[in-house]
Amino acid sequence: MKRFVEALRQSRMLLAGVVLVSAFTVIGALAPWVAPYSPSAISGDTFERPSRAHLLGTNDAGADIFSRLVWGTRTTLVVAVCATALILAVGMALGLTAGLRGGLADTVVMRIADVFLALPVIPLLIFIAALAGPSLTLSILMIGLFTWPQTARIVRSQTLSLRQRGFVDIARGLGGGPLYVMRRHLIPALGPVIGANLVFVAGVAVTTEAAMSFLGLGDPSAVSWGAELNRALQNDQITLGSLWLWWMVPFGLALTVAILGFTLIGVALEPRFNPRWSRAQT
Amino acid sequence: MTSVLTRRTFLKGVAATAGAVMLGGCNPSPPAPIGRLRVEEWTALGFPSPFTYTAGPGYWRMSLLFDTLTWPDSTGRQLPWLASSYKQSEDGLVYTVDLRDVSWDDGAPLTARDVVFTHRYYTTQTFTPLLIGVPREDVEVVPTGERSVEFRLPRPDATFLQQTLGTMPIVPEHVWSKISDPMSVTDPKLLVSTGAYTLTSRDEAQGHELYEAKDRYFLGSPFVKRIEMLPAEDTLAALRIGELDAASSEAQGARNELLTPFRENPAYGMISREAGFAFPLFFNMSRGGALADLRFRRACLHAIDRGDIVERLLTGNGQLGSQGWLPPSHPYYDGGVRAYPFDRAEAERLLDETGYRRRSGSGSRTNPDGSPLRYTLFIPDLVPIALAELVVASLGAVGLDIDLQRIDLVRVFGAKLSANYDLLITSYPGPSGIGPSGDPDILRGVYHSRPPNPLHKATGYANPEVDRLLDAQLSTTDVDERKRMIGQVQRIVADDLPAAMLYYTTFFHAYRKSVFDQWYYTPGGFGPGIPDVFNKHPYITGRKEGLR
Amino acid sequence: MNRIAEPAPADLDRAGTTVAEGAIDLLVTRSPQRRSRWVAVGAYLATVFVLITFNFALPRLMPGDPIDALMAFGSPNYVDDDETRANLARYYRLDESLPEQYLHYLQGLARGDLGVSVVTNVSVTEELGDRVGWSFLLIATATGLSMLIGLPLGVHSGWKRGKKLDRGLLGFFLAVQNLPIFILGAVAFVVFSAQLGIFPSGGATTPFNEYRGIAEVLDIARHLALPAILMAFDFLTYQYLVMRSSMVSELGSDYLLGGRAKGLRERRLKYGYAARNALLPVVTVIGLQASVAVGAGLIIVERIFSYPGVGGYMFYAIGTRDYPAMQGAFLVLTVTVVTTNLLVDLLSRRLDPRTAS
């Protein structure tokens, strides 16, 4: 934590990223108070132009676009948090197993990770979403399915290097059980690396959710930036006048800025906590 | 979900089917023949042979190449086409058809044998049902001369003239008798026909096709010489910027903003037809519980402000649904059906009275036994998400919790077939062909307890009186009698309300007058009942009525 | 890690290198273990087999079958009785047991036969053949465009490490590395195609054109422009980052010191030596990017711009549950991805001293 605060002071990039992500978090958390209307409320006529009552006008049903933008933040954050937690759990479990047990377990886990990294994401997403019917839970699961290998590989390689440095064996030799070793030595040592990786993963999760919704594979009842962007693009009215300026652009911008926020934090944190660099510096 | 999964053109293709009411102005004299007509493409609907096309626009493309014995014009009357004349016997059991002196592309003459062969060929192929209207296996087709043929029916059939004589494309015996699997034919050389046009170019990947007129067509050289079918994501926009010469509004209907450019510019003409498309809400009565409760269904319909929906989605370019399914513009429409005006208080009263009370606090209603009352509404992609949202909001306002699930069209129909849904808004015609304005026999598909096709059935609905009337209307040849029976069916089903007809959309077709201006909607549709504006009659003859 | 001999690099610089290395790690070193070439090929064949099986199973797991779809999309007034369904199922061999269908599918594949589309009744091999070329053209053009811009920028940026231009470029590309292609794509479509009409709204050529020679090339280019530029933008970031970091790692090399001592020109050193040596990881990244794009970006771009490639074909096939078409498209996409991966793996094995052993 101390290192983080210190890093925050040093890096403008990190600061910018943290500010952006926090801003979205606050907006998402306070959505009911920030948004003038419920996102599904039919609060005006259809296709109203921006006005005081509707900052970004209304959509094809007559819902307030600004409110949908604000509530969409929540969906984005929920996906980011849940998918990241899922990836963390799966990636840690498999990565640690592979790294600690070695041998056959290692080969199997890493081979599966290879296959997942090589699979074409979108065709499979389409298949599976059609199979299961789109929902937010499914989106999160799918994102987890395709992103865990990266985390697992990082965890594994870190575990291996810690093992090589003898931490684990010594602790074991002193009578520590595997869980004890994990808790006392591995997790603290892995923490920063995983932390930096997870910010990246959160960014990837947000991007993937948006892409899925954009392709119509998302939850229709969740208000999502990607889905709203697609809805606007599919609407015949979008080619008329400047409707796209307040119906498409805000959602595109929100996505861009949110993803930017996660990326900036990831970019700024990674070299700091990447063992490659800390080793090099010492 | 599939709004993205399927190509728009395909979905729109699916949209085109049913009967018609003709509007639009009439032009006194046809302008000088013109060359090129550019319209939207439908290449994804299959190779345009009589055995491989799918959906309405697929039939239309095929009809440019192949002819039927009769064909309708703007009056909806079946003109003798390959037939030089046809007549029906007094008892309605025999149709006698005399053929014109016409040659196939390869020079062989068209004979009665070709007609007999065609009928037999269709009825013996496994796939016939997908390709033409109802195949009548029990009809006997007998040649009575080199160029005359008789169709003998076991019992009178009100739909025979249109569904067989006006739908079945005649194919040459000397070509197809050698082909055992016509579905595998995709070679343009085998499209030997009598038709007005030849398919001269087809690119399925990019989606474009070119049809060129035959100068030596038996009804005279076609008026439109060259039909270019071109890809366009948004056809009205393509017409506006000059990429197309004619374009129709989408199945979902059109708002005024989209139509204004054509209304204001005298270079364009526009025709329209009411009830082009219908959006019914099905209640799965076989689920029991509230869905099988008449007062619950009535309350739902009272709770939905349909006028507001039509105003919002279509700027008024639509009509409120009649609960007898057929729209007011339909010749068989019965004005006495029960109406369900928007009345939130009435909806609340019905629900309270039946025991679906609001839980204290949350405001959501529960079943009489206190269990949660919560249903899922399925919508396929042809249904605008905004419509579903408005319905969910309306029902929410009277305390009914509805989850929205968007699934692809094929899944929706799977759910329908297996009765595995609660609520479903879908769109007709289109996937079904049982549009609101085709032959009134369409009611049999929805309300009969054993319909010809379970896909469209109002799930779980069975009323013996309705079954009886629907069976009887099919074999009556007396139009007034049929009207009376169809009217009675409408009144009963409007009372029983197994499905709630939300609204109908108006179809619009805009065109560049200088290129071609003889467009019309065919009353009753062309071919098996295709409601589209693309009847080949006007661009072959250059007129709206009759032959040259 | 001799590059640390340089003065302590700034945050941005370190980030640039880490991200580039991360990208290479993720893309190139598929497996952390060193395996022999034969193991790699074996693993590849196993993956292809798994994909083929997946490919067979996935469509059949989806709710709704092609007969349902044909019925749903079919002509009006058709009869949907059990007999008709059974006949259709027999015709398309959907009535066979799954093992039988699987066997026929494998036998067909061995003959290069992907079956016949249930919707169009045309051989899927033929339909895909009409589209693969366009997809390939799109990816190749995008790769070419992005190399033209990304590589020189990367070389220059790395050479001038720490200078203002480098910091600017690096910051920009780091920031946009995760941006999804569809945001820009959707806006570009609405603005340039739908509103301004500068570019055509779809297709790969003007229908029924009679263009020959230059005019034909220009026509294709005009249709290709927007989708290719968008994909190129997608490729650009990592090409730049990898090129730059690779360049940076060459900076302290002995040959550069030697070259400078010999009085070679800066320009010569930069392009003739440093850039050439730095190119290897970039080449592998470019190859793998193309393969990743086949699985993701291509499909999105083809959809937005109605470009007649394999991606759009697959979308359409799924909507109609056209099993043979779905399988065909999915097979082409997935096998392209894993094959490219294998080729790059083998190539980098040959070129990279670390893995050549």
Side-chain angles (χ1 to χ4, degrees):
Chain A
M1 197 61 209
K2 216 193 285 168
R3 274 173 85 188
F4 182 76
V5 174
E6 181 199 326
L8 204 58
R9 209 176 306 137
Q10 279 177 11
S11 162
R12 272 183 299 171
M13 221 172 184
L14 183 60
L15 188 67
V18 169
V19 166
L20 288 180
V21 171
S22 325
F24 277 111
T25 312
V26 170
I27 293 173
L30 300 180
W33 293 276
V34 178
Y37 308 94
S38 140
S40 56
I42 309 301
S43 54
D45 200 357
T46 48
F47 297 116
E48 276 188 39
R49 298 176 67 88
S51 66
R52 198 170 279 249
H54 301 285
L55 289 178
L56 294 172
T58 57
N59 72 2
D60 54 343
D64 183 52
I65 294 178
F66 178 71
S67 302
R68 293 179 76 81
L69 187 68
V70 171
W71 280 87
T73 316
R74 255 192 191 194
T75 310
T76 303
L77 288 171
V78 165
V79 168
V81 170
C82 295
T84 308
L86 182 72
I87 293 162
L88 175 69
V90 176
M92 283 282 270
L94 292 178
L96 279 174
T97 311
L100 286 177
R101 309 262 318 247
L104 186 66
D106 186 20
T107 313
V108 169
V109 169
M110 285 302 107
R111 198 57 71 242
I112 296 175
D114 284 354
V115 169
F116 272 97
L117 284 172
L119 286 178
V121 181
I122 299 225
L124 278 171
L125 287 181
I126 297 170
F127 270 117
I128 297 173
L131 177 69
S135 71
L136 204 58
T137 322
L138 182 78
S139 304
I140 291 168
L141 287 176
M142 302 296 300
I143 293 165
L145 190 67
F146 286 101
T147 322
W148 69 266
Q150 300 178 24
T151 305
R153 278 174 58 171
I154 292 172
V155 172
R156 174 187 172 277
S157 71
Q158 290 305 307
T159 313
L160 277 182
S161 89
L162 289 173
R163 237 176 100 173
Q164 276 162 5
R165 282 191 264 157
F167 275 106
V168 177
D169 293 335
I170 293 170
R172 280 219 167 141
L174 294 174
L179 275 178
Y180 171 81
V181 174
M182 228 182 250
R183 204 179 63 223
R184 273 309 294 267
H185 297 278
L186 285 176
I187 295 190
L190 287 173
V193 186
I194 301 296
N197 170 254
L198 282 183
V199 183
F200 262 127
V201 168
V204 171
V206 170
T207 314
T208 315
E209 191 277 332
M212 284 182 75
S213 307
F214 179 76
L215 290 172
L217 310 174
D219 188 337
S221 36
V223 185
S224 148
W225 291 339
E228 197 74 10
L229 198 61
N230 182 45
R231 180 168 173 168
L233 187 66
Q234 295 286 322
N235 197 291
D236 282 348
Q237 305 277 325
I238 204 75
T239 56
L240 293 173
S242 36
L243 177 62
W244 63 280
L245 274 179
W246 55 86
W247 199 10
M248 276 178 77
V249 172
F251 293 93
L253 267 182
L255 263 174
T256 308
V257 173
I259 292 167
L260 209 63
F262 283 111
T263 310
L264 288 179
I265 299 180
V267 163
L269 280 188
E270 233 218 351
R272 235 164 245 283
F273 294 119
N274 193 316
R276 192 161 25 206
W277 289 103
S278 23
R279 247 179 298 145
Q281 277 169 329
T282 47
Chain B
M1 160 178 137
T2 21
S3 62
V4 272
L5 287 188
T6 354
R7 259 171 63 188
R8 269 184 167 192
T9 49
F10 188 80
L11 292 172
K12 276 186 281 179
V14 157
T17 323
V21 173
M22 198 195 101
L23 294 172
C26 36
N27 248 37
S29 62
I34 42 86
R36 179 184 71 161
L37 178 64
R38 294 167 304 165
V39 293
E40 182 182 8
E41 63 94 11
W42 306 94
T43 40
L45 297 180
F47 185 69
S49 116
F51 307 99
T52 46
Y53 72 84
T54 34
Y59 181 90
W60 163 58
R61 286 155 56 236
M62 182 278 294
S63 80
L64 295 174
L65 307 176
F66 288 86
D67 287 319
T68 50
L69 295 170
T70 63
W71 195 257
D73 64 6
S74 65
T75 62
R77 211 176 51 222
Q78 295 284 334
L79 304 173
W81 200 263
L82 277 176
S84 56
S85 68
Y86 67 90
K87 63 175 188 288
Q88 182 190 0
S89 65
E90 290 268 310
D91 57 6
L93 290 175
V94 178
Y95 286 80
T96 312
V97 177
D98 291 318
L99 298 174
R100 288 175 198 270
D101 186 2
V102 171
S103 298
W104 297 102
D105 291 335
D106 57 8
L110 166 78
T111 67
R113 285 165 48 99
D114 289 314
V115 178
V116 175
F117 168 78
T118 301
H119 190 271
R120 196 185 61 234
Y121 198 64
Y122 278 126
T123 49
T124 51
Q125 299 295 341
T126 53
F127 37 80
T128 319
L130 288 170
L131 300 168
I132 55 169
V134 182
R136 303 288 319 238
E137 285 175 44
D138 51 4
V139 172
E140 210 185 335
V141 189
V142 185
T144 52
E146 185 59 22
R147 289 214 300 269
S148 64
V149 68
E150 261 181 31
F151 292 82
R152 297 177 187 158
L153 282 66
R155 61 188 166 278
D157 179 351
T159 66
F160 182 78
L161 176 60
Q162 178 178 3
Q163 293 297 332
T164 302
L165 300 190
T167 295
M168 183 174 71
I170 305 298
V171 299
E173 180 180 17
H174 61 280
V175 173
W176 295 95
S177 59
K178 295 180 206 117
I179 297 167
S180 60
D181 179 10
M183 272 170 104
S184 65
V185 169
T186 51
D187 178 3
K189 284 197 201 71
L190 289 172
L191 297 179
V192 174
S193 71
T194 58
Y197 294 89
T198 329
L199 174 66
T200 48
S201 162
R202 167 174 163 82
D203 183 331
E204 210 254 323
Q206 294 200 58
H208 52 78
E209 275 179 335
L210 177 60
Y211 294 80
E212 288 183 289
K214 291 179 197 161
D215 275 336
R216 301 180 54 191
Y217 186 54
F218 66 88
L219 291 173
S221 175
F223 182 76
V224 171
K225 301 296 178 205
R226 182 183 162 97
I227 302 175
E228 292 186 1
M229 301 189 189
L230 303 170
E233 265 303 295
D234 179 342
T235 51
L236 288 175
L239 173 62
R240 219 163 49 219
I241 59 175
E243 284 178 0
L244 296 179
D245 299 317
S248 295
S249 61
E250 301 220 12
Q252 302 181 350
R255 295 169 56 91
N256 285 333
E257 295 93 311
L258 288 173
L259 305 170
T260 317
F262 309 112
R263 285 182 174 140
E264 285 175 351
N265 187 338
Y268 296 104
M270 186 154 73
I271 55 173
S272 64
R273 181 168 66 80
E274 283 190 4
F277 224 78
F279 290 86
L281 164 67
F282 284 96
F283 301 95
N284 184 354
M285 291 172 62
S286 69
R287 280 266 151 106
L291 295 172
D293 184 335
L294 176 61
R295 282 167 298 181
F296 173 84
R297 297 197 301 273
R298 287 183 170 176
C300 285
L301 190 50
H302 276 302
I304 301 171
D305 188 350
R306 297 179 286 143
D308 178 60
I309 292 179
V310 170
E311 202 49 52
R312 278 175 186 278
L313 300 183
L314 302 168
T315 55
N317 292 328
Q319 302 82 44
L320 295 197
S322 156
Q323 301 318 315
W325 193 276
L326 302 180
S329 51
H330 195 282
Y332 283 75
Y333 167 75
D334 188 297
V337 297
R338 189 185 174 102
Y340 295 85
F342 169 58
D343 186 345
R344 200 164 272 160
E346 172 69 5
E348 300 256 11
R349 194 186 61 76
L350 276 168
L351 290 168
D352 286 337
E353 196 182 279
T354 330
Y356 304 103
R357 294 191 184 286
R358 284 184 192 267
R359 220 176 315 167
S360 51
S362 73
S364 299
R365 290 178 185 272
T366 59
N367 279 309
D369 62 4
S371 59
L373 182 63
R374 198 175 183 98
Y375 289 116
T376 302
L377 169 65
F378 281 168
I379 47 158
D381 228 25
L382 277 172
V383 176
I385 185 105
L387 165 59
E389 286 172 354
L390 290 167
V391 167
V392 169
S394 300
L395 296 178
V398 295
L400 298 173
D401 288 337
I402 308 291
D403 297 317
L404 189 58
Q405 181 136 41
R406 191 166 189 120
I407 56 185
D408 79 8
L409 198 58
V410 179
R411 260 195 96 191
V412 166
F413 282 90
K416 190 89 199 311
L417 278 173
S418 55
N420 192 15
Y421 69 96
D422 302 330
L423 298 166
L424 169 66
I425 297 181
T426 178
S427 45
Y428 293 88
S432 62
I434 44 171
S437 28
D439 188 279
D441 189 39
I442 53 180
L443 294 178
R444 201 159 52 101
V446 185
Y447 299 109
H448 199 288
S449 63
R450 288 178 316 280
N453 183 345
L455 203 49
H456 316 300
K457 188 174 159 33
T459 317
Y461 179 64
N463 184 329
E465 178 62 7
V466 169
D467 284 3
R468 191 188 63 75
L469 287 163
L470 285 170
D471 288 334
Q473 61 80 26
L474 189 62
S475 51
T476 179
T477 44
D478 178 349
V479 175
D480 289 332
E481 176 66 6
R482 195 170 180 220
K483 235 176 197 165
R484 195 189 56 74
M485 290 191 271
I486 294 286
Q488 207 174 336
V489 170
Q490 291 176 63
R491 285 194 299 273
I492 298 173
V493 298
D495 283 342
D496 291 350
L497 207 68
M501 182 60 82
L502 298 177
Y503 63 89
Y504 315 105
T505 58
T506 306
F507 268 1
F508 292 92
H509 180 73
Y511 52 86
R512 217 175 293 282
K513 283 186 196 160
S514 59
V515 176
F516 185 69
D517 66 351
Q518 300 294 303
W519 299 102
Y520 60 77
Y521 289 103
T522 314
F526 63 88
I530 297 159
D532 230 323
V533 73
F534 295 105
N535 183 338
K536 68 183 174 183
H537 165 265
Y539 32 89
I540 289 176
T541 61
R543 54 172 68 213
K544 288 179 179 164
E545 272 180 49
L547 302 172
R548 271 178 289 180
Chain C
M1 303 252 161
N2 55 353
R3 72 189 92 110
I4 308 302
E6 294 268 304
D11 259 355
L12 201 63
D13 192 55
R14 279 193 285 183
T17 315
T18 342
V19 171
E21 283 180 353
I24 298 176
D25 270 358
L26 210 63
L27 289 166
V28 179
T29 337
R30 284 272 175 232
S31 167
Q33 287 144 336
R34 200 172 289 176
R35 347 173 255 192
S36 84
R37 206 177 328 160
W38 298 114
V39 172
V41 174
Y44 164 75
L45 291 177
T47 313
V48 168
F49 186 75
V50 168
L51 283 176
I52 287 175
T53 309
F54 246 46
N55 198 357
F56 173 81
L58 276 178
R60 284 164 177 79
L61 285 171
M62 287 172 76
D65 66 25
I67 308 289
D68 273 353
L70 272 182
M71 292 291 176
F73 296 132
S75 289
N77 304 331
Y78 58 79
V79 178
D80 177 35
D81 56 10
D82 293 341
E83 195 192 331
T84 312
R85 295 181 75 85
N87 285 340
L88 277 166
R90 199 172 315 123
Y91 182 82
Y92 290 112
R93 292 185 139 182
L94 297 167
D95 60 332
E96 293 173 346
S97 69
L98 283 181
E100 275 178 306
Q101 288 189 40
Y102 184 53
L103 188 70
H104 284 136
Y105 171 62
L106 290 182
Q107 285 170 344
L109 275 185
R111 292 193 308 270
D113 174 7
L114 295 170
V116 171
S117 158
V118 175
V119 174
T120 62
N121 286 305
V122 176
S123 132
V124 172
T125 322
E126 199 180 302
E127 292 198 331
L128 281 171
D130 290 344
R131 291 166 169 86
V132 166
W134 293 124
S135 288
F136 180 79
L137 179 68
L138 179 53
I139 290 193
T141 313
T143 307
L145 267 179
S146 65
M147 280 166 70
L148 223 59
I149 302 165
L151 300 192
L153 284 184
V155 168
H156 191 68
S157 196
W159 193 252
K160 297 277 178 198
R161 179 194 202 189
K163 297 279 162 51
K164 208 170 170 185
L165 182 74
D166 174 47
R167 290 207 311 271
L169 283 173
L170 186 58
F172 174 75
F173 282 110
L174 280 175
V176 301
Q177 58 172 319
N178 282 338
L179 283 191
I181 189 168
F182 67 85
I183 297 180
L184 213 56
V187 174
F189 174 77
V190 167
V191 175
F192 293 109
S193 290
Q195 296 256 351
L196 297 176
I198 298 175
F199 292 101
S201 59
T205 59
T206 305
F208 323 121
N209 70 61
E210 312 254 310
Y211 301 137
R212 290 290 169 271
I214 296 290
E216 189 178 6
V217 173
L218 282 178
D219 183 51
I220 291 175
R222 212 168 61 90
H223 285 79
L224 190 62
L226 268 189
I229 289 173
L230 271 159
M231 278 195 86
F233 184 76
D234 205 31
F235 290 166
L236 197 56
T237 312
Y238 285 106
Q239 285 183 11
Y240 164 85
L241 288 174
V242 172
M243 186 74 233
R244 180 190 172 278
S245 105
S246 182
M247 197 68 189
V248 164
S249 68
E250 297 291 329
L251 284 182
S253 304
D254 297 339
Y255 68 85
L256 286 182
L257 291 175
R260 278 212 181 87
K262 269 166 69 182
L264 286 179
R265 287 206 178 165
E266 190 75 357
R267 220 183 139 73
R268 178 92 193 275
L269 285 172
K270 180 175 167 189
Y271 291 105
Y273 292 87
R276 260 174 81 174
N277 284 325
L279 212 55
L280 167 70
V282 186
V283 169
T284 49
V285 164
I286 290 170
L288 288 161
Q289 269 187 328
S291 97
V292 169
V294 166
L298 181 72
I299 297 171
I300 292 182
V301 168
E302 283 185 357
R303 267 206 62 71
I304 295 177
F305 295 96
S306 313
Y307 204 74
V310 181
Y313 182 71
M314 193 192 64
F315 254 90
Y316 176 66
I318 290 176
T320 53
R321 297 294 187 280
D322 191 342
Y323 290 169
M326 276 157 99
Q327 285 166 186
F330 191 69
L331 192 74
V332 167
L333 292 177
T334 49
V335 170
T336 311
V337 172
V338 293
T339 308
T340 319
N341 289 349
L342 174 78
L343 291 179
V344 172
D345 189 8
L346 294 180
L347 186 74
S348 68
R349 211 175 275 275
R350 284 192 79 137
L351 298 177
D352 187 350
R354 275 184 308 168
T355 45
S357 62

